Amino acid sequence: MKKVFTVITVLMLFCVASYAGTEQNTFPPLLVQQPAAQSPVSPEPPAPGTPPEPPVAPPPPGPGIGQTIPAQTLLNNLPTAVTTVQKIGSQLTPGKVWTMQGPAGEIEVKAGILYQGSVVAVLHFNPLDGSVLPLGIHPSAYQNTNQIQAIKTRLTTVIRELKILPAAEFMEPEASWSFPVALGNTIVVHLKVYYDGIHIVPDYTANQEMTYYGQ
């Protein structure tokens, strides 16, 4: 009797593990970047006190592909893209935080939003008080007030409060649907789904920035 109970227990655990694995595999896949002809050269570390320049981003996958696909095909894929992007809401996790210098010398504070270990969107923060910035607002701050630790502490909470809106615009250069993501009453980032409606598009530039500068 004891052996029978042990066998049943093992079978139940196996079924639960298999179900969990199946559930995990139902999440949308990331778009795998097409290999470049030559790997980018790693930039030299910046001189002390000099804001570093961002690394050169690889080209987006399939540029211009939207021009070769009938508009109706793209529109037919949109409902699938809506379903796809809404599936990943609970799977978004906080990445690292980093600072950059903008074109006019202003300080930019960014944090990566990760899906399956890759950056898929970037939050921008006010370098003066660490608050999340709506897209389009760029404070004129030229000194780093060291908000990184405070931002890292509450980044998980911020990501949990994000709401993916079920409406999109088509971005021709990336051949992707771009979905706005709201925090409260503001749009703070966009998430991109490939034109096929199935694959989540990583932010390749942000991935490089976070790898090189992230804290």
Side-chain angles (χ1 to χ4, degrees):
M1 185 66 181
K2 185 175 180 180
K3 290 183 178 180
V4 173
F5 177 77
T6 301
V7 171
I8 293 176
T9 302
V10 171
L11 289 175
M12 289 178 63
L13 291 174
F14 178 78
C15 291
V16 170
S18 299
Y19 176 78
T22 302
E23 286 294 299
Q24 185 177 9
N25 291 335
T26 60
F27 292 119
L30 281 170
L31 181 68
V32 177
Q33 180 188 356
Q34 295 176 352
Q38 184 177 4
S39 299
V41 179
S42 300
E44 294 294 329
T50 302
E53 294 293 332
V56 178
I65 195 171
Q67 297 179 356
T68 64
I69 298 177
Q72 192 58 50
T73 299
L74 297 175
L75 292 172
N76 289 343
N77 290 341
L78 180 55
T80 303
V82 172
T83 301
T84 294
V85 78
Q86 291 182 331
K87 283 182 179 180
I88 74 170
S90 62
Q91 301 301 307
L92 299 177
T93 57
K96 295 181 180 180
V97 182
W98 68 96
T99 60
M100 302 286 295
Q101 189 176 39
E106 71 277 12
I107 299 298
E108 298 179 352
V109 183
K110 306 178 182 181
I113 299 176
L114 306 184
Y115 174 66
Q116 295 184 357
S118 293
V119 180
V120 291
V122 176
L123 288 167
H124 294 257
F125 293 82
N126 190 330
L128 301 177
D129 60 13
S131 60
V132 181
L133 291 171
L135 291 178
I137 293 182
H138 307 282
S140 299
Y142 299 91
Q143 292 184 349
N144 192 347
T145 57
N146 199 20
Q147 297 287 338
I148 289 184
Q149 189 55 50
I151 291 171
K152 290 171 66 174
T153 299
R154 60 190 182 86
L155 187 54
T156 298
T157 300
V158 170
I159 291 177
R160 288 175 181 169
E161 294 175 354
L162 297 177
K163 181 179 180 180
I164 303 171
L165 304 184
E169 60 178 317
F170 190 73
M171 309 299 290
E172 175 63 41
E174 298 90 354
S176 302
W177 292 104
S178 179
F179 290 85
V181 182
L183 179 65
N185 295 322
T186 61
I187 302 299
V188 292
V189 297
H190 287 85
L191 291 171
K192 293 179 180 178
V193 179
Y194 204 42
Y195 79 94
D196 61 7
I198 298 172
H199 294 82
I200 302 298
V201 180
D203 187 327
Y204 301 108
T205 301
N207 261 314
Q208 288 194 347
E209 287 185 5
M210 190 183 75
T211 299
Y212 192 61
Y213 306 123
Q215 299 183 34

